[in-house]
Every structure is written in C-alpha cells, then in structure tokens.
C-alpha cells in the first residue's frame, strides 16, 4: 500500500484490448488512473497488418498527447512493447523525461527503437550496458515481489512439510507452464523419487490436468508435491529449493541469485533469443547450466542426478549465484524515477 505521506501519483497506460488492465487491477499497487491507447506491432507481421498498426500508432500518439497534457507527469517509465511507442512520441513533444527499464539481458527491437527517446535506461545486469551508448544505462537490478524478499527457508520447509536434511528440487515453467519441461520431468519422476529427492512441481494452470495424468500413481508419493501455480507462496518455493529447473525469463536473473540457487535453465525455444541470452548470462558465470529444449528428454534426469548429489559443485554454483544478487531493484528503480523527474 502506498505511503499516504508521499505525493507521487501513479498512472498506467497500456494498449487497447491488451491484458495490461487486468494485471493492473489485480496488482497491489494503487494507481491513480489506468489508461489505454491504440497501438500495434509493425515488425514481424504482414504488410497489411503493419499498415493497420501504423494507423493505430498515429492515433495512439494523439491519444497519448491528450492524456499527458491532462496528467502532466514529471517522468515516464517504459518497459518495451509497441504500446509504449505512442507515449514515447508524445513525451518527446512535451519534453517529459523517459526512463526505460530493460528486464532481460539483451534488448529487443522495441527497446532499441525507444531508447532514442530515453533520458536513462535502467538495466537488470551490467552486461546490458554494451547495447546502449556509454553513460546512458544504469544498473538497478530487477524489481522483486515482496513475497520473494520476505521468504525464509525455515518458513518454507514448514509450509511444504519438507525434510531439511534432504535435497529439494523445484521445477516450474511460469503461470501457464512449460509442457516440454513437464513431460521430461514426468518421464523421469519415478527415478528422481527413487533417488531420494523431494520435488516441488509447478505445472502451470494450462498443463495441470495432463501433467497429473502423466504422473499417475506417483502424484500421491509423499515426496512429490504438485501445484497448478503458486501465487503468494512462490517465494517460499524458491526458499525451500536446493536446485531449480525452469525457463530463463527475465525474473530468473534476480530470483535465482536472491536465494543463491543453482539452476538448470531451459530457454523457451519458440520466441526470439531473450531467454537463451539470459540463460547464457547465468551459466557463463557458473550459476546455472543451460539445457536446450530439444535435449530435455535425453538429458534432464542425468543433469539433475549428477548435480544434486555433487555437494561441492552445487555449493560453488550457489555461491556464484549469490554473488549476482541485487535485492533492492524495486527501490533502486523508484529512486531513479524520482531523481529523473526532479531534474
């Protein structure tokens, strides 16, 4: 909840018809306004769709200009996506400073375009600085949710009724899940349990029923706990784990180091290379192993079994992960916005 002594107003602008409004309304942040403007992609679409998007972007820029004249913000935070372009154009016309936040290691096309309008680019890790002009980026770290920052191992072990003397494997693929990871885990679930591991498995809501059918009789094993998704308890799942198998989205750059967690990272293969670059960032620094999607079925069990029983290597990976932690990302980004707006 926002401190009533603060005088800052927060307004959110998203694309018409996007999923942003639902997320904003579900968040714990108190926004003074939630607005929508027309926008659309112009890269990677057919010529007709690109033309329609250009028309939408033009209208969206006018809508943005009207909204910014009414709101009169002192600073604007952009996070990428084509819906940011109309706001960026309007902000440039009104000389309103822009801060861009880059969650992944490498910027995509929209941020490469938007950075021309930016006063400063806030980045999650120092490796991102090479993509921008010298002196234009600032390392803030990734803004972490409170349930991550407040989670403790003691509370986590109690919540999931785990044995502190045994190793715990956490496997997840986000709120929607990662079917290839679920399938690979299901294929070796019996052997992992036989090897004495405790397993927390977050299947994702879309793949829950199929994953439970695949688990069969093992879904009732005392050392296997499956969930469609964990919301407020996700921080506790991280705190309970000794090893993680997951995708390599931007949040892993912060969540894994926060808990000093070694990981086997499986980049999502059907998008641009963001996740591969994120996975390589952590693996090159000794905090993770990258395992590509096509190799999951053949190698997942061996990678988990070799790593989780190698105390020396697991400990070294944990320390290397811990060295990358930046737990104050939200506060650092907030300070940057306040300073930029006051300048």
């Amino acid at each position: 909840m926002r401190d009533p002594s603060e005088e800052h107003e927060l307004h959110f602008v998203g694309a018409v018809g996007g999923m942003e409004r639902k997320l904003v309304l579900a968040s714990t942040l108190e926004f003074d306004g939630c607005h929508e403007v027309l926008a659309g992609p112009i890269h990677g679409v057919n010529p007709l769709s690109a033309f329609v998007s250009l028309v939408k972007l033009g209208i969206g820029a006018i809508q943005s200009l009207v909204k910014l004249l009414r709101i009169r913000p002192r600073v604007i935070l952009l996070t990428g996506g084509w819906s940011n372009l109309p706001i960026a154009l309007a902000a440039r016309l009104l000389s309103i400073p822009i801060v861009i936040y880059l969650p992944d290691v490498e910027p995509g096309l929209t941020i490469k375009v938007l950075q021309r309008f930016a006063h400063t680019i806030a980045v999650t890790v120092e490796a991102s600085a090479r993509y921008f002009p010298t002196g234009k980026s600032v390392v803030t770290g990734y803004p972490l949710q409170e349930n991550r920052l407040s989670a403790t191992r003691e509370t986590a072990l109690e919540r999931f009724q785990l044995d502190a003397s045994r190793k715990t494997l956490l496997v997840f693929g986000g709120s929607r899940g990662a079917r290839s990871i679920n399938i690979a885990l299901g294929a070796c679930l019996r052997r992992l349990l036989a090897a004495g591991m405790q397993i927390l498995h977050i299947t994702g809501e879309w793949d829950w029923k199929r994953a439970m059918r695949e688990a069969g009789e093992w879904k009732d094993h005392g050392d296997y706990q499956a969930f469609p998704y964990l919301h407020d308890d996700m921080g506790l799942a991280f705190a309970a784990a000794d090893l993680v198998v997951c995708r390599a989205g931007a949040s892993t750059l912060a969540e894994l180091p926060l808990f000093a967690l070694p990981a086997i990272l499986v980049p999502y293969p059907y998008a641009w290379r963001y996740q591969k670059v994120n996975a390589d960032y952590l693996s090159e620094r000794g905090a993770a192993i990258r395992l590509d999607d096509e190799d999951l079925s053949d190698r997942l069990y061996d990678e988990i079994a070799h790593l989780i029983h190698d105390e020396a290597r697991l400990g070294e990976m944990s320390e290397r992960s811990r060295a990358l932690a930046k737990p104050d990302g939200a506060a650092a980004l907030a300070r940057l916005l306040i300073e930029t707006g006051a300048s």
Side-chain angles (χ1 to χ4, degrees):
M1 197 166 182
R2 205 185 319 166
D3 186 339
S5 67
E6 295 180 351
E7 298 180 357
H8 310 298
E9 285 190 10
L10 296 175
H11 288 261
F12 184 90
V13 181
V16 173
M19 62 184 295
E20 298 94 338
R21 178 176 289 273
K22 180 180 178 181
L23 296 174
V24 168
L25 294 175
S27 77
T28 57
L29 285 175
E30 295 180 16
F31 286 93
D32 295 277
C34 183
H35 316 274
E36 295 178 331
V37 299
L38 284 171
I42 56 177
H43 178 70
V45 296
N46 62 57
L48 178 59
S49 296
F51 175 75
V52 172
S53 291
L54 283 171
V55 173
K56 287 183 177 180
L57 289 168
I59 297 172
I62 297 171
Q63 292 173 322
S64 299
L65 189 62
V66 172
K67 291 180 186 297
L68 294 185
L69 283 169
R70 187 173 72 249
I71 298 169
R72 292 289 180 179
R74 297 179 68 178
V75 64
I76 294 175
L77 173 66
L78 303 181
T79 57
W82 292 110
S83 61
N84 286 183
L85 187 54
I87 287 289
L89 291 169
R92 170 62 69 86
L93 289 174
L94 297 175
S95 298
I96 301 171
I98 292 172
V99 173
I100 293 176
Y101 172 62
L102 170 63
D104 295 287
V105 174
E106 184 173 357
L109 179 60
T110 52
I111 286 185
K112 288 178 180 177
V113 171
L114 291 170
Q115 66 97 10
R116 301 171 188 174
F117 302 94
H119 176 279
T120 307
I121 297 121
V123 298
T124 300
V125 297
E126 66 283 350
S128 299
R130 68 179 183 269
Y131 298 105
F132 305 108
T134 302
K136 196 167 186 178
S137 63
V138 175
V139 179
T140 59
Y142 186 96
L144 288 158
Q145 296 181 50
E146 179 57 34
N147 68 55
R148 271 64 162 174
L149 296 170
S150 61
T152 65
R153 188 168 179 83
E154 181 181 16
T155 304
L157 294 174
E158 182 179 354
R159 160 66 177 84
F160 297 109
Q161 294 295 292
L162 297 168
D163 183 345
S165 67
R166 296 168 59 199
K167 291 290 189 292
T168 298
L169 174 69
L170 170 63
V171 181
F172 71 96
S175 60
R176 295 180 177 180
R179 176 163 290 189
S180 59
I181 294 179
N182 290 339
I183 290 172
L185 178 69
C188 62
L189 182 58
R190 177 186 62 80
R191 288 190 291 166
L192 291 172
L193 292 169
M197 294 177 214
Q198 302 172 121
I199 301 173
L200 300 178
H201 181 198
I202 303 168
T203 67
E205 295 170 349
W206 288 12
D207 203 33
W208 166 253
K209 291 182 180 179
R210 191 213 57 78
M212 289 303 91
R213 287 195 302 271
E214 184 177 42
E217 62 181 297
W218 301 105
K219 69 177 181 291
D220 298 318
H221 193 286
D223 291 328
Y224 175 70
Q225 298 182 53
F227 309 88
Y229 191 60
L230 288 175
H231 295 274
D232 293 340
D233 285 345
M234 191 63 203
L236 294 177
F238 282 118
D242 297 288
L243 176 65
V244 176
V245 177
C246 64
R247 292 296 193 201
S251 64
T252 59
L253 298 170
E255 289 170 337
L256 299 179
L258 178 70
F259 295 97
L261 280 170
I264 297 171
L265 297 175
V266 187
Y268 182 62
Y270 304 112
W272 198 62
R273 62 185 192 184
Y274 304 110
Q275 291 205 11
K276 289 184 179 180
V277 175
N278 293 342
D280 287 343
Y281 173 83
L282 290 171
S283 62
E284 287 167 2
R285 286 156 180 79
I289 295 170
R290 173 180 151 186
L291 180 60
D292 290 336
D293 214 73
E294 60 266 27
D295 299 322
L296 263 174
S297 298
D298 294 333
R299 292 177 50 193
L300 183 62
Y301 173 77
D302 289 337
E303 294 287 358
I304 293 173
H306 292 160
L307 187 54
I308 208 162
H309 293 304
D310 188 340
E311 292 282 357
R313 189 178 181 198
L314 203 65
E316 181 182 357
M317 289 178 68
S318 176
E319 288 306 309
R320 288 178 177 267
S321 181
R322 189 193 311 277
L324 300 173
K326 293 182 178 66
D328 64 340
L333 184 55
R335 285 194 299 270
L336 176 61
L337 289 169
I338 292 170
E339 292 167 2
T340 303
S343 61

